[in-house]
Amino acid sequence: MISWRALTGRAQLQAGGCARHRAVLLDLLDGRTQGRDVDEALEHLGRCDACQREMSEYALVIAGLRRLGAAARRSEPDATGWARVAARLQEAPRRPRWHLRQAPVAGLVALPAVLAVLVAGLLAGGGGEARVAVPAGPAGTDAVSLAAPQVAVPGPQHNAALQRAFRIADTAAEQDPPVACEGAAVVQDEADGEAGLLVAVPPRGPLPDGLAVFMATGTPDRFGGSRMTVAPAIVPE
Amino acid sequence: MAEARPDGVSVVGDGGDGDSRAFEAFYRQWEGAVYRTALALLRDQMTAEEVVVDTFLRAHGAWHRLDPGRSPLPWLQRVTVNLALNRLRRRRLGLEPIPEQEPWPDEAGIAPESAAEQRELTAALARGIERLPVQMRAVVILRFVQDSSLASIAEVLDCPLGTVKSRLHNALRLLRDDLRQEFEPSLGADVAPRLSGGSEEPAS
């Protein structure tokens, strides 16, 4: 077992009064110094045992991360990668790609984090998995018609999954600005078998009865395709 | 019609053989960077290779939307990171089994007299990275594996520069606390225990 104290010095760690210099000192350790109060921070460091100790610890962390990074940069991908990509391109004809540029739902908030929007119906009742039909726009367009999509929303039997999905939805709060979530669903893209996430966002105006707006997080192409399986969707209480 | 990209790849948009060759050249130019990001995030070779394939399938689908005047790397990294983080979240939520994690590669260039000590440290760091909230993990990987600038990371993660800095500082603090607790438990940690599940970041 190595001695952490021996590696980082024996100064007492009392970083509370030194917090305002920490960001600058961390930037220095990471090799970034532009536009910061470097001289003042260095002067403080020269006379503060606690900061010297703390920066010694961070220096070890950063040096270790650099070693790991340098080692990871030597990893090489499998030589058969292109064959797998080519095979997938052969087997799946190119699907029309879409993302929503204008929501046909009146009053929908234009959220910067929105990458695709689906409209789900039948909020009440209807247990079990159901499908969201998202009619793809004509090839070469970015529009998607939201007319008559369908989803059956599972009931209380999906509470556990619902809780999981809400926890995922919390990550949407990391968006800037934060996205207020009313619900979420884990979805399965039938085309490539990947799960994704739908996050309900509150519309600015009232929606027609029986409709909820869901926002998909991920890349713009993530939910490209014509059909999704919802398993499960969530109804805000 | 052919377009010259900054990466030197000529892109032909007619879907024919030229298109295929151009896309293969594009793939071969960028697969290493994409793979290393995916592997560093996931620590699982098989899943990382799946993410590479999915990333390039999306690149193929988005080919006509990529700006030929700019490097495609930030776009590729963004797709890769999003796909990898989705997989990590699914693992953490129990929606997907957690495969056996690949060890980080051995580090070269470590002086023999300090090798054991440094390996112990970096092994502890690697364990700490696995426990980081996924958004922080992405920042750390992009910064120290891809050697990306903070501005580039902000572009890849589509978030403000201040958010990247905050995540990086919080990640360094969590990793520091991990090392401290591992090697000197009596010192304790400065920060509250990590959050688990979906809500990722402690307050900075």
Side-chain angles (χ1 to χ4, degrees):
Chain A
M1 172 73 78
I2 62 177
S3 167
W4 185 242
R5 280 183 190 277
L7 287 168
T8 60
R10 294 183 179 281
Q12 289 292 310
L13 183 65
Q14 297 170 347
C18 309
R20 74 189 180 94
H21 296 296
R22 181 182 288 133
V24 179
L25 293 172
L26 279 175
D27 283 353
L28 276 170
L29 283 177
D30 195 22
R32 292 174 281 113
T33 57
Q34 275 190 321
R36 311 300 296 264
D37 300 325
V38 176
D39 291 343
E40 189 183 344
L42 286 175
E43 185 182 275
H44 170 82
L45 184 65
R47 55 183 160 75
C48 178
D49 287 350
C51 279
Q52 288 171 19
R53 161 64 188 267
E54 185 169 18
M55 288 304 123
S56 297
E57 294 178 330
Y58 282 122
L60 277 178
V61 170
I62 288 173
L65 288 172
R66 290 197 172 128
R67 280 197 303 275
L68 281 174
R73 283 194 289 276
R74 292 195 300 275
S75 302
E76 289 298 330
D78 186 313
T80 63
W82 170 248
R84 285 199 302 276
V85 172
R88 289 280 298 277
L89 289 173
Q90 287 286 326
E91 75 190 32
R94 192 163 163 174
R95 291 177 290 164
R97 299 288 172 173
W98 52 264
H99 58 266
L100 196 75
R101 281 188 175 157
Q102 47 186 2
V105 180
L108 179 67
V109 180
L111 289 166
V114 170
L115 298 172
V117 177
L118 307 174
V119 175
L122 301 175
L123 272 180
E129 286 192 356
R131 297 179 188 288
V132 182
V134 183
T141 75
D142 286 321
V144 57
S145 164
L146 295 185
Q150 293 182 349
V151 59
V153 178
Q157 71 272 27
H158 293 97
N159 276 352
L162 184 149
Q163 290 302 322
R164 286 202 305 270
F166 264 114
R167 264 181 273 138
I168 302 175
D170 285 345
T171 62
E174 296 178 4
Q175 301 292 328
D176 191 14
V179 176
C181 298
E182 288 188 347
V186 178
V187 300
Q188 192 80 14
D189 184 333
E190 289 184 346
D192 59 14
E194 288 186 1
L197 171 68
L198 300 180
V199 179
V201 294
R204 184 167 285 161
L207 284 171
D209 288 344
L211 291 179
V213 177
F214 289 90
M215 178 181 72
T217 65
T219 63
D221 291 334
R222 177 141 188 78
F223 299 109
S226 59
R227 295 174 75 83
M228 292 179 185
T229 300
V230 174
I234 292 169
V235 184
E237 293 191 2
Chain B
M1 186 176 71
E3 289 180 273
R5 303 180 59 90
D7 46 39
V9 173
S10 177
V11 179
V12 182
D14 61 3
D17 287 348
D19 213 3
S20 176
R21 282 195 297 275
F23 190 70
E24 181 178 354
F26 173 84
Y27 172 87
R28 295 196 185 284
Q29 177 161 6
W30 299 110
E31 67 165 327
V34 169
Y35 173 74
R36 284 185 280 276
T37 298
L39 182 61
L41 283 166
L42 292 158
R43 301 313 315 157
D44 158 39
Q45 187 177 339
M46 185 177 294
T47 313
E49 287 170 354
E50 289 171 10
V51 165
V52 171
V53 170
D54 289 344
T55 297
F56 281 97
L57 290 177
R58 281 160 176 73
H60 190 262
W63 194 252
H64 64 286
R65 293 205 305 271
L66 293 177
D67 181 352
R70 300 180 63 191
S71 166
L73 188 57
W75 187 92
L76 288 169
Q77 295 283 34
R78 181 185 297 190
V79 175
T80 306
V81 168
N82 282 336
L83 290 173
L85 295 192
N86 284 342
R87 303 293 286 256
L88 285 175
R89 290 187 179 112
R90 286 157 60 188
R91 285 180 187 173
R92 289 186 176 186
L93 294 173
L95 301 173
E96 187 173 281
I98 300 175
E100 189 172 340
Q101 302 283 284
E102 303 263 337
W104 286 77
D106 282 341
E107 312 104 63
I110 295 179
E113 61 272 18
S114 61
E117 192 174 73
Q118 293 202 2
R119 289 215 167 87
E120 200 174 339
L121 261 178
T122 49
L125 264 180
R127 288 192 293 275
I129 292 172
E130 307 302 326
R131 291 195 294 269
L132 282 178
V134 294
Q135 293 284 2
M136 286 188 208
R137 194 195 297 203
V139 172
V140 166
I141 295 304
L142 290 169
R143 180 78 187 111
F144 294 103
V145 173
Q146 291 298 341
D147 209 17
S148 300
S149 68
L150 297 193
S152 299
I153 296 171
E155 183 181 0
V156 167
L157 298 180
D158 196 21
C159 65
L161 185 61
T163 303
V164 173
K165 284 186 179 179
S166 163
R167 286 178 181 165
L168 180 60
H169 288 180
N170 284 333
L172 292 173
R173 188 169 48 173
L174 287 173
L175 292 170
R176 188 277 311 263
D177 287 346
D178 274 350
L179 293 189
R180 210 194 253 182
Q181 290 193 314
E182 185 150 345
F183 298 117
E184 201 72 56
S186 61
L187 288 175
D190 279 354
V191 296
R194 289 166 196 279
L195 302 175
S196 59
S199 186
E200 303 280 341
E201 292 184 67
S204 51

